[in-house]
Amino acid sequence: MDKIKITGGVPLNGTIRISGSKNAALPLMAASLLTRKTLCLENVPQLADIRTMSELLGLLGVSVEERGNGPSGRSLVFRADEIASTVAPYDLVRKMRASVLVLGPLLARQGHAEVSLPGGCAIGTRPVDLHLGGLEAMGAQIELADGYIQAQAPNGLKGAEIIFSNVSVGATENLMMAAALAEGETRLVNAAREPEIVDLANCLTAMGADIEGAGKDEITIRGRASLAGATHHVIPDRIETGTFVMAAAISDGDLCLEGARADHLEKPFQVLRQAGVAIDPVETGLRVRRANGPLQGADIMTEAFPGFATDLQAQFMALMATAEGASMITETIFENRFMHVPELMRMGADITVHGASALVRGRQRLKAAPVMATDLRASVSLVLAALAAEGETELNRVYHLDRGYERIEEKLAACGASIVRSKESTPS
Ligand SMILES: CC(=O)N[C@H]1[C@@H](OP(=O)(O)OP(=O)(O)OC[C@H]2O[C@@H](n3ccc(=O)[nH]c3=O)[C@H](O)[C@@H]2O)O[C@H](CO)[C@@H](O)[C@@H]1O
Ligand SMILES: C=C(OP(=O)(O)O)C(=O)O
């Protein structure tokens, strides 16, 4: 198991290119199941989750080919002439919950699918009832047996009005893909509005789908008998962008984030500016540094887009741990997304958790400590804390980080960070 060692106190200076979005690329890859034609995705990041999704698609009969790293980033080319299997096995689904996104496309194209129930994860129980309820409203028969979702649509999927009781990114994506090949019109009400939903809708539209309203809370999809191929450029990763904005701020550095899009981060940037971070558009992306002097405490509450993203909450907590004054951080999306708190406290952070809220009292300086990554964003919050801490922090279980951050040590080291990865020696 790899470890990362970071010696803090070095301001980051330089340029970081923002990678393609993991959370946009994963559903786009699943969309390749909807057509016999070639789907080419440009700007796909090199990440463990992308490899897992490629492996799963390969098992289902999709050929996946890599086409070099051009000016449009790395391209992956998918072709699903024939679906070889409709089973998404536990071994892959347990590694990555987004595997459940093959359910809608498989069911729409093949009329049946068996997908392992993803189960909970470190951040919460994460049920899939909204995915399943929506597919049932479209005529699917679903049973849960032996840990699997067993779904049949012997007469094909039919358009329906689906009113979500909760906003769900994954359910909106799964149902939008299923509806693109269903008979008739589907209306998704109380749909997620995240930029990744819009990116998926843009790609499906390029494949010939008829979709209106993506990015709003009501999406209408008129199903087609078949979809064509397309070439699509994946949007930049807004969570990676927000993370590096906070890396510049916590280290008191000055970074240019190439290819970053401010329009996907309006709410987080509003709060970060209030906390004393200067974020300015430049020709190639965004320039980030402290506006003037120390950071100030600011309050956030996580919400579905366009609110403050839960995927940036842990990083914001690390930042606030070094700000002047207090901050109240409230997590409303996942019931167990404070796993980074005890680890940040091991580095000297002053944090008190009351239910879904954490009161952070800023400290001038954090101190290095051995810490353990528990999930993807918790891991990167510890990297941020380590960049500002006195001494050498050792971060264990960095495989979580590799799920979502492309070449993170390389990117940070190129801007001056003292960061090295080492293989953990196996005990003799
Ligand atoms: C691969 C990907 O894109 N992952 C993102 C996606 O996850 P994911 O799509 O899994 O998250 P959802 O938007 O579905 O979850 C939001 C909330 O709805 C609940 N829920 C969801 C589905 C369901 O059937 N029933 C139900 O109750 C969840 O438990 C959670 O409390 O959106 C999350 C919320 O922005 C992000 O943190 C994840 O990084
Ligand atoms: C929670 C995340 O991913 P996933 O939904 O794949 O677990 C994330 O990207 O922060």
Side-chain angles (χ1 to χ4, degrees):
M1 234 184 281
D2 293 3
K3 287 180 180 183
I4 285 181
K5 287 184 181 169
I6 299 170
T7 306
V10 187
L12 297 181
N13 281 294
T15 298
I16 295 180
R17 180 189 173 269
I18 299 302
S19 296
S21 157
K22 160 179 94 73
N23 287 351
L26 292 170
L28 288 164
M29 291 169 76
S32 68
L33 290 163
L34 292 166
T35 176
R36 290 174 170 274
K37 306 287 187 205
T38 302
L39 176 65
C40 173
L41 297 178
E42 298 174 343
N43 200 30
V44 181
Q46 241 164 343
L47 298 169
D49 274 13
I50 300 292
R51 285 189 285 280
T52 305
M53 185 58 105
S54 295
E55 203 182 323
L56 173 58
L57 292 173
L59 270 185
L60 304 178
V62 185
S63 73
V64 185
E65 193 195 313
E66 181 166 340
R67 294 235 179 109
N69 243 324
S72 306
R74 185 174 73 124
S75 296
L76 290 183
V77 180
F78 303 86
R79 194 168 172 109
D81 277 323
E82 298 296 337
I83 302 295
S85 160
T86 53
V87 181
Y90 173 69
D91 267 357
L92 288 177
V93 179
R94 78 182 163 80
K95 278 196 203 168
M96 185 190 68
R97 295 183 47 87
S99 311
V100 79
L101 294 173
V102 302
L103 177 62
L106 280 177
L107 194 56
R109 178 153 163 198
Q110 297 299 103
H112 54 93
E114 253 183 74
V115 176
S116 171
L117 271 168
C121 74
I123 62 176
T125 49
R126 305 184 74 178
V128 287
D129 56 313
L130 300 172
H131 302 236
L132 305 188
L135 292 170
E136 280 175 333
M138 295 176 78
Q141 296 155 10
I142 294 179
E143 278 182 32
L144 303 181
D146 309 322
Y148 275 74
I149 303 162
Q150 302 184 337
Q152 307 275 346
N155 304 316
L157 293 175
K158 308 271 186 291
E161 180 176 80
I162 296 160
I163 303 174
F164 294 115
S165 54
N166 241 334
V167 177
S168 162
V169 174
T172 304
E173 291 165 344
N174 231 337
L175 291 162
M176 195 159 72
M177 289 189 278
L181 275 191
E183 193 186 314
E185 185 176 293
T186 298
R187 266 187 352 118
L188 303 179
V189 181
N190 198 23
R193 292 181 279 166
E194 271 67 3
E196 294 77 19
I197 304 283
V198 177
D199 204 37
L200 176 62
N202 287 343
C203 178
L204 292 171
T205 304
M207 292 163 72
D210 181 352
I211 301 177
E212 254 174 59
K216 304 199 180 113
D217 61 4
E218 198 170 305
I219 305 177
T220 305
I221 306 115
R222 287 173 211 93
R224 299 276 202 218
S226 65
L227 294 179
T231 294
H232 178 82
H233 193 85
V234 178
I235 53 171
D237 196 311
R238 67 190 165 101
I239 306 302
E240 191 199 27
T241 303
T243 304
F244 287 138
V245 166
M246 292 192 251
I250 204 166
S251 72
D252 199 4
D254 188 342
L255 289 180
C256 179
L257 304 179
E258 213 175 272
R261 275 182 69 164
D263 58 323
H264 290 167
L265 283 148
E266 278 177 14
K267 180 67 192 182
F269 282 3
Q270 183 194 325
V271 183
L272 286 163
R273 287 190 173 110
Q274 194 189 324
V277 185
I279 307 166
D280 298 305
V282 290
E283 209 181 316
T284 52
L286 296 170
R287 181 181 174 197
V288 193
R289 59 207 189 286
R290 287 191 191 172
N292 97 57
L295 299 165
Q296 302 300 319
D299 300 339
I300 60 154
M301 180 185 280
T302 61
E303 282 169 316
F305 192 84
F308 193 102
T310 174
D311 292 351
L312 287 171
Q313 178 258 111
Q315 301 89 313
F316 189 74
M317 193 179 295
L319 188 69
M320 290 298 96
T322 65
E324 274 183 358
S327 332
M328 183 65 88
I329 296 181
T330 303
E331 171 61 49
T332 73
I333 306 293
F334 293 110
E335 67 273 21
N336 192 28
R337 213 173 193 183
F338 281 153
M339 304 276 285
H340 41 285
V341 170
E343 299 303 297
L344 288 171
M345 287 173 71
R346 301 187 71 248
M347 298 178 72
D350 181 349
I351 306 172
T352 316
V353 175
H354 299 280
S357 294
L359 174 65
V360 184
R361 293 186 185 87
R363 283 266 163 90
Q364 218 178 3
R365 206 73 205 264
L366 297 176
K367 287 231 162 69
V371 285
M372 180 109 69
T374 48
D375 69 75
L376 170 55
R377 309 303 169 185
S379 319
V380 89
S381 77
L382 300 173
V383 171
L384 295 185
L387 289 171
E390 214 174 287
E392 186 184 79
T393 296
E394 185 181 282
L395 175 65
N396 293 287
R397 299 205 183 161
V398 297
Y399 56 85
H400 291 291
L401 210 53
D402 296 332
R403 281 191 48 220
Y405 289 91
E406 188 176 43
R407 297 182 290 102
I408 186 165
E409 322 84 273
E410 213 181 290
K411 288 185 180 190
L412 292 174
C415 296
S418 165
I419 176 168
V420 282
R421 181 184 287 241
S422 62
K423 300 269 174 212
E424 194 173 47
S425 56
T426 35
S428 49

